[in-house]
Amino acid sequence: MSNSSFSPPWRLWLLRSPQNHQLYLQLQSSVEAVVAEVAPESPTVPVDTGKKDVVFLLDGSDGTRNGFPAMRDFVERVVEQLNVGQNKDRVSVVQYSRDAEIHFYLNTYTTSQDILDTVRGLKHRGGRPLNTGAALQYVRDNVFTNSSGSRRLQGVPQMLILLNGGRSSDNVDTPASALKQQGIQVFLLDGSDGTRSGFPAVRDFVQRVVETLSVDDKKDRVSVVQYSKDPTVQFYLNTYTTKGDILDTVRGLRHKGGSPLNTGAALQYLRDNVFTASAGSRLLEGVPQLLILISGGRSFDSVDAPASALKQLGVLTFVIGTRNSDIRELQKISHDPSYAQTVSEFTDLPNVQQQLQSSVEAVVAEVAPESPTAVRDFVQRVVETLSVDDKKDRVSVVQYSKDPTVQFYLNTYTTKGDILDTVRGLRHKGGRPLNTGAALQYLRDNVFTASAGSRLLEGVPQLLILISGGRSFDSVDAPASALKQLGVLTFAIGTRNSDIGELQKISHDPSYAQTVSEFTDLPNVQQQLQSSVEAVVAEVAPESPTVPVDTGKKDVVFLLDGSDGTRNGFPAMRDFVERVVEKLNVGQNKDRVSVVQYSRDAEIHFYLNTYTTSQDILDTVRGLKHRGGRPLNTGAALQYVRDNVFTNSSGSRRLQGVPQMLILLNGGRSSDNVDTPASALKQQGIQVIGIGTRNSDSRELQKISYDPSYALSVSDFTDLPSVQEQLSSVMSRVLVRTTPMTPTVTDRVSVVQYSKDPTVQFYLNTYTTKGDILDTVRGLRHKGGSPLNTGAALQYLRDNVFTASAGSRLLEGVPQLLILISGGRSFDSVDAPASALKQLGVLTFAIGTRNSDIRELQKISHDPSYAQTVSEFTDLPNVQQQLQSSVEAVVAEVAPESPTVPGM
């Protein structure tokens, strides 16, 4: 191992036959050597050789059953030699076969004894096949991370010790390379029998191209690969550093020979073995990756998947063939079909050299970053306006393309000077495609977290400024929605290559999406961005029960039944909406209107902040078309408007005390349950007025309406004019009786029952009195079903219950408690969902029975010691006092001034 600039931050040992004591001594020696030589990933982070983070990755497949006790003993002996402690050495153990399972993280235990006790109790996992590649990727993504206790960013040496007893069933190259990394021209020559006579001409062509490159001043790198049945690397991208050495080698190339011609296999080989950091590729530094393929015939294998894989990697391929080649195959391989060229014979290659050079220059100019310095300068200017040094503001920078890279976290730097120094030194990442969706999800899971420095739980506004230069290759819908649910306020800035609709979707509010022609124009939008940020931060102050009611304005949402059963009545519904709107005083600071139509699911025609004049609203309403569809899911539609329309970002002014009204026009009985969503709307103070026909369920409408007297009915939608006055009267009553919401209980409760999938019995904001909660709990019925999917239930809670729309006060700093009562082992994995709940700040206490898996319960729990078991559920009273004590201790620890948890 060398101490070069490519020295990886991860050290990987592959150990076989762990029974060998000599191996242990060899390992100990290797560890000492590595710690002495390891270099920091960043020159600004000093290496702390007094500590190390050590991860053991154990082969737990069927083939290692007999050897597992010896593997376990080996881990024990290594751990006994470590200096374990919170600020000393840290240890994690992962076992894998088909997939990987974390036994404990780097930050789970702080003493050797705790680690040894757990290691001694490890059981062989079993399973097949043996996927070592997937396991390596898993530890990279889930163990060597800040949130799991890795101190890589603080310069602590990172070590992975792999105990392996067999050959992997999957590819290990990419994940192994990725572990090492977390620390250009290529010529592919057809050397098959059919090109023997033309090979000297091919060699001369390569020479002439190399002569045009800038190798000596360290700009360009070159590799040459020759192939027939299989490929042979003549030299890699990092083999030579001078043009002279490259030319000398090219002049000495000999024809490879062989058949058949497998171009597909050669392309795949390049992707896996040549366009890699270890082979000298600077793909991750944003250096364009060029492939010039010279082929003299048609491939015997398929080129489709390998060609596509190279394009996905961002490789720009130019192909030159002869009259024996298949032009459609060449076009498929090329970066663009127009970059596929043919010559009659290889001796004619000089005729296309100029054309090739022009094409290459054009493409490189196209993929080069527009202006890497413009974005960097913009970030600098924004940071200069912040208050970092007085500990008010925190900053993180993440750069992304195919995947994201954190330049620094929110808690990495505490002074503006340190941040600016790092920003000035940022280098363009490069890579493709542009996966904005994956980057947004990564931010949610890894950056807007307490462990990364987010103060979300303290009520500090969370801002995201996204600067994007193109349309995303993946979907941004779910990740953007997840960030909004978390309370992150996003401002998106794009260029002329961006999709404005996509930017609006991502932004906290569509009006906060901006575009510039080029990144060099970013200074033109800086003032506008700053004003928007200040306005939003002022607006997102915590909800206060003392907000005065502003009856001079109202937010009115129409929810129209657009199912198959209302097709004939839809024109009358449309006319009715028009007449109501004509009576309103529409304006930005007056009345606002939104229209939503639904059947099986809901569709927003326009939001509360889309239009500011009656005329614009009326023009749109007159053009509405009947949606159609079935079944009629009124419950889902009510939940939809609550989560997506009566929100700050959609124009609702509920937090400013403006009365909120929902007018439901319904023509049939709902196919789903309306109780919980109707109750949730009432809890939020939304005044629902239900208007139904003879086909509607009158009791259902009364349940949905804010007050049973707000439920109106007509024989048919054509009779709607007859209730116009009635509606006006109800709306007037609403304005008179609307008062700010006042909480009636300090604590909030939700109950969810699950088996194969979860069912919410009631949300955190469904009931406001203990009596209502107890009445509902007494009436609960057993759900039934199998299998038991605890993982899916935990994920559901994270996404649907511990959210502001469901009544969670996470953003107000209220402790979030989960008490899980489980009677068996989960059929799905609980690892990721349990980790996601912990990242969100949820404190989980798990109680199981003798049929449960205690390790699974410990994994799920906030702390392993908070996992308890009883023989039968009838013994639950025996652990109630212990549970209550644990809860009180944890709540006191995470929020010393929080209200006392009531008796359970």
Side-chain angles (χ1 to χ4, degrees):
M1 290 180 273
S2 68
N3 195 19
S4 70
S5 59
F6 292 96
S7 181
W10 313 95
R11 300 294 165 155
L12 175 67
W13 286 275
L14 177 63
L15 306 180
R16 294 178 182 270
S17 303
Q19 299 90 334
N20 192 337
H21 179 67
Q22 186 59 38
L23 199 58
Y24 165 72
L25 299 176
Q26 187 182 338
L27 171 68
Q28 190 173 355
S29 168
S30 299
V31 168
E32 290 167 359
V34 168
V35 172
E37 74 154 32
V38 72
E41 198 168 329
S42 160
T44 61
V45 180
V47 179
D48 190 345
T49 55
K51 316 169 182 176
K52 49 192 171 291
D53 294 337
V54 182
V55 178
F56 292 90
L57 181 57
L58 313 180
D59 176 350
S61 65
D62 290 345
T64 62
R65 191 171 304 279
N66 295 334
F68 192 74
M71 294 166 74
R72 198 168 49 206
D73 294 343
F74 179 80
V75 174
E76 278 188 56
R77 288 198 301 277
V78 175
V79 171
E80 283 166 351
Q81 297 300 314
L82 298 176
N83 185 18
V84 174
Q86 179 68 23
N87 295 311
K88 299 172 184 174
D89 295 338
R90 293 183 181 178
V91 177
S92 169
V93 173
V94 181
Q95 192 181 163
Y96 79 101
S97 52
R98 181 192 184 95
D99 44 37
E101 175 189 5
I102 297 177
H103 290 300
F104 52 91
Y105 292 92
L106 287 163
N107 54 6
T108 302
Y109 299 122
T110 55
T111 71
S112 289
Q113 196 54 52
D114 286 342
I115 293 170
L116 291 171
D117 287 346
T118 306
V119 169
R120 290 180 187 120
L122 292 183
K123 294 186 177 177
H124 186 258
R125 176 185 174 81
R128 58 181 177 182
L130 181 67
N131 291 331
T132 305
L136 293 173
Q137 189 64 36
Y138 183 86
V139 294
R140 181 184 184 276
D141 296 342
N142 297 279
V143 183
F144 286 111
T145 63
N146 191 51
S147 60
S148 296
S150 165
R151 295 165 294 176
R152 180 173 62 88
L153 300 181
Q154 288 91 62
V156 175
Q158 307 290 287
M159 302 181 182
L160 173 62
I161 300 172
L162 169 65
L163 301 185
N164 168 276
R167 183 169 185 166
S168 179
S169 294
D170 63 353
N171 188 286
V172 301
D173 295 356
T174 303
S177 175
L179 281 167
K180 292 172 187 172
Q181 281 169 13
Q182 202 158 0
I184 286 183
Q185 300 224 14
V186 177
F187 293 88
L188 180 58
L189 313 180
D190 175 352
S192 64
D193 292 343
T195 62
R196 190 172 303 278
S197 60
F199 191 74
V202 172
R203 194 171 50 207
D204 293 345
F205 179 77
V206 173
Q207 277 184 244
R208 286 192 302 273
V209 174
V210 170
E211 283 163 355
T212 68
L213 301 177
S214 303
V215 179
D216 296 316
D217 57 6
K218 299 183 180 175
K219 288 183 182 173
D220 300 330
R221 292 183 180 178
V222 180
S223 169
V224 172
V225 180
Q226 197 179 159
Y227 79 103
S228 52
K229 180 179 180 179
D230 45 37
T232 299
V233 178
Q234 309 291 339
F235 53 90
Y236 289 95
L237 288 163
N238 54 5
T239 303
Y240 299 120
T241 56
T242 70
K243 190 186 296 186
D245 286 342
I246 293 171
L247 290 172
D248 286 346
T249 304
V250 169
R251 290 184 192 108
L253 290 181
R254 294 187 173 185
H255 186 258
K256 172 181 169 67
S259 65
L261 184 68
N262 290 330
T263 307
L267 295 174
Q268 189 63 41
Y269 183 87
L270 287 174
R271 186 193 185 286
D272 296 340
N273 299 280
V274 179
F275 286 110
T276 62
S278 57
S281 165
R282 292 168 293 173
L283 175 71
L284 300 182
E285 299 170 39
V287 177
Q289 308 289 291
L290 308 182
L291 167 62
I292 300 170
L293 167 65
I294 304 176
S295 171
R298 183 171 184 164
S299 179
F300 272 70
D301 61 355
S302 172
V303 301
D304 294 2
S308 174
L310 280 172
K311 288 175 186 173
Q312 278 191 337
L313 193 63
V315 175
L316 311 167
T317 304
F318 302 81
V319 185
I320 305 173
T322 67
R323 60 170 175 246
N324 298 322
S325 303
D326 178 345
I327 186 61
R328 285 187 303 173
E329 183 176 272
L330 301 183
Q331 290 172 336
K332 248 188 223 171
I333 296 170
S334 294
H335 165 63
D336 184 273
S338 64
Y339 296 137
Q341 303 176 58
T342 58
V343 291
S344 179
E345 305 282 349
F346 282 139
T347 49
D348 297 330
L349 281 169
N351 302 339
V352 297
Q353 183 168 349
Q354 188 54 51
Q355 187 181 343
L356 172 68
Q357 194 163 339
S358 300
S359 298
V360 167
E361 287 170 359
V363 170
V364 169
E366 175 194 321
V367 300
E370 235 179 289
S371 175
T373 57
V375 175
R376 194 170 54 206
D377 293 347
F378 180 77
V379 174
Q380 277 184 244
R381 287 192 301 273
V382 172
V383 170
E384 282 162 357
T385 67
L386 302 176
S387 303
V388 180
D389 297 315
D390 56 6
K391 299 183 180 176
K392 288 182 182 174
D393 301 328
R394 292 183 180 178
V395 180
S396 169
V397 172
V398 180
Q399 198 179 159
Y400 78 101
S401 50
K402 181 178 180 180
D403 44 37
T405 299
V406 179
Q407 309 292 338
F408 52 90
Y409 289 92
L410 288 163
N411 54 4
T412 303
Y413 300 120
T414 55
T415 70
K416 189 185 295 187
D418 286 342
I419 293 171
L420 290 172
D421 286 346
T422 305
V423 169
R424 289 184 193 109
L426 290 181
R427 299 178 75 179
H428 185 258
K429 172 183 169 67
R432 59 171 59 187
L434 184 69
N435 290 331
T436 306
L440 294 175
Q441 190 63 40
Y442 184 88
L443 288 174
R444 186 190 188 287
D445 296 341
N446 299 279
V447 179
F448 286 109
T449 62
S451 58
S454 165
R455 292 168 292 173
L456 175 73
L457 300 182
E458 299 168 39
V460 176
Q462 308 289 290
L463 308 181
L464 168 62
I465 300 170
L466 168 69
I467 304 176
S468 169
R471 184 172 185 164
S472 179
F473 272 70
D474 62 354
S475 172
V476 302
D477 295 4
S481 175
L483 279 172
K484 288 176 186 173
Q485 277 192 340
L486 194 63
V488 175
L489 310 168
T490 305
F491 302 80
I493 305 174
T495 66
R496 59 168 178 249
N497 298 322
S498 303
D499 178 344
I500 185 62
E502 184 175 273
L503 297 179
Q504 289 173 334
K505 240 186 232 174
I506 294 169
S507 295
H508 164 64
D509 184 277
S511 64
Y512 294 139
Q514 302 177 59
T515 58
V516 291
S517 179
E518 309 278 348
F519 282 139
T520 48
D521 297 329
L522 280 170
N524 302 339
V525 297
Q526 183 167 350
Q527 189 53 50
Q528 187 182 343
L529 171 68
Q530 194 163 340
S531 301
S532 299
V533 167
E534 287 169 359
V536 170
V537 169
E539 178 189 321
V540 296
E543 193 172 339
S544 166
T546 59
V547 176
V549 179
D550 187 348
T551 54
K553 316 168 183 175
K554 50 192 172 291
D555 294 335
V556 182
V557 178
F558 292 90
L559 181 57
L560 311 181
D561 175 351
S563 64
D564 290 345
T566 63
R567 190 171 302 279
N568 295 335
F570 192 74
M573 294 166 73
R574 198 169 48 205
D575 293 344
F576 181 77
V577 174
E578 280 187 56
R579 287 194 299 275
V580 175
V581 170
E582 284 166 350
K583 299 285 188 186
L584 298 176
N585 185 17
V586 174
Q588 179 68 22
N589 294 312
K590 299 172 185 175
D591 295 338
R592 293 183 181 177
V593 177
S594 170
V595 173
V596 181
Q597 192 182 164
Y598 79 101
S599 51
R600 182 192 182 97
D601 43 37
E603 175 190 6
I604 297 177
H605 290 300
F606 53 90
Y607 292 92
L608 287 163
N609 53 8
T610 302
Y611 299 122
T612 55
T613 70
S614 289
Q615 198 53 54
D616 286 341
I617 293 171
L618 291 171
D619 289 345
T620 304
V621 169
R622 289 180 189 120
L624 292 182
K625 294 187 176 177
H626 185 257
R627 176 184 173 82
R630 59 180 178 184
L632 182 67
N633 290 331
T634 306
L638 294 172
Q639 188 64 35
Y640 184 85
V641 294
R642 181 183 185 280
D643 294 344
N644 297 279
V645 183
F646 287 109
T647 62
N648 192 49
S649 60
S650 298
S652 165
R653 295 165 294 176
R654 181 174 63 88
L655 300 183
Q656 289 90 59
V658 175
Q660 308 289 291
M661 299 184 187
L662 174 63
I663 300 172
L664 168 66
L665 297 184
N666 168 274
R669 183 172 185 165
S670 179
S671 294
D672 62 354
N673 189 286
V674 301
D675 296 1
T676 303
S679 175
L681 284 167
K682 290 175 190 173
Q683 171 63 21
Q684 207 164 32
I686 294 162
Q687 310 277 329
V688 183
I689 302 167
I691 305 174
T693 67
R694 60 172 172 252
N695 297 321
S696 303
D697 181 333
S698 59
R699 285 191 303 173
E700 185 175 86
L701 276 182
Q702 288 173 345
K703 214 185 265 182
I704 292 169
S705 298
Y706 189 79
D707 186 278
S709 65
Y710 291 178
L712 312 177
S713 64
V714 291
S715 175
D716 196 85
F717 284 129
T718 52
D719 296 330
L720 280 169
S722 66
V723 295
Q724 185 101 27
E725 286 306 315
Q726 230 180 319
L727 174 65
S728 297
S729 171
V730 171
M731 290 176 75
S732 299
R733 275 163 41 209
V734 165
L735 291 176
V736 169
R737 66 183 284 184
T738 299
T739 55
M741 287 186 296
T742 54
T744 56
V745 291
T746 302
D747 297 294
R748 293 183 179 177
V749 178
S750 169
V751 172
V752 179
Q753 199 179 157
Y754 79 101
S755 52
K756 181 178 180 179
D757 44 38
T759 299
V760 178
Q761 308 293 339
F762 51 90
Y763 289 93
L764 288 163
N765 54 8
T766 302
Y767 299 119
T768 56
T769 70
K770 190 185 291 186
D772 287 342
I773 293 170
L774 290 172
D775 286 346
T776 305
V777 169
R778 290 184 190 109
L780 290 181
R781 294 185 173 186
H782 186 256
K783 173 182 168 69
S786 65
L788 184 69
N789 290 332
T790 307
L794 295 175
Q795 189 63 41
Y796 183 87
L797 289 173
R798 186 190 190 286
D799 297 340
N800 299 280
V801 178
F802 286 108
T803 63
S805 60
S808 165
R809 292 168 295 172
L810 174 74
L811 301 183
E812 298 167 42
V814 176
Q816 309 288 291
L817 308 181
L818 169 62
I819 299 170
L820 168 68
I821 304 176
S822 169
R825 182 171 185 167
S826 179
F827 272 70
D828 62 354
S829 173
V830 301
D831 294 4
S835 175
L837 279 171
K838 288 175 186 174
Q839 280 191 340
L840 193 62
V842 175
L843 310 168
T844 304
F845 302 81
I847 305 173
T849 66
R850 61 169 175 246
N851 298 322
S852 304
D853 179 344
I854 185 60
R855 287 189 302 166
E856 185 174 271
L857 298 179
Q858 289 172 336
K859 251 188 220 168
I860 294 169
S861 296
H862 165 64
D863 185 273
S865 65
Y866 294 137
Q868 302 178 59
T869 58
V870 290
S871 179
E872 305 283 348
F873 282 139
T874 50
D875 297 328
L876 281 170
N878 301 341
V879 296
Q880 184 169 344
Q881 187 54 51
Q882 188 182 343
L883 171 67
Q884 191 164 339
S885 300
S886 298
V887 168
E888 287 171 356
V890 171
V891 170
E893 175 193 323
V894 299
E897 297 177 8
S898 65
T900 306
V901 176
M904 288 175 278

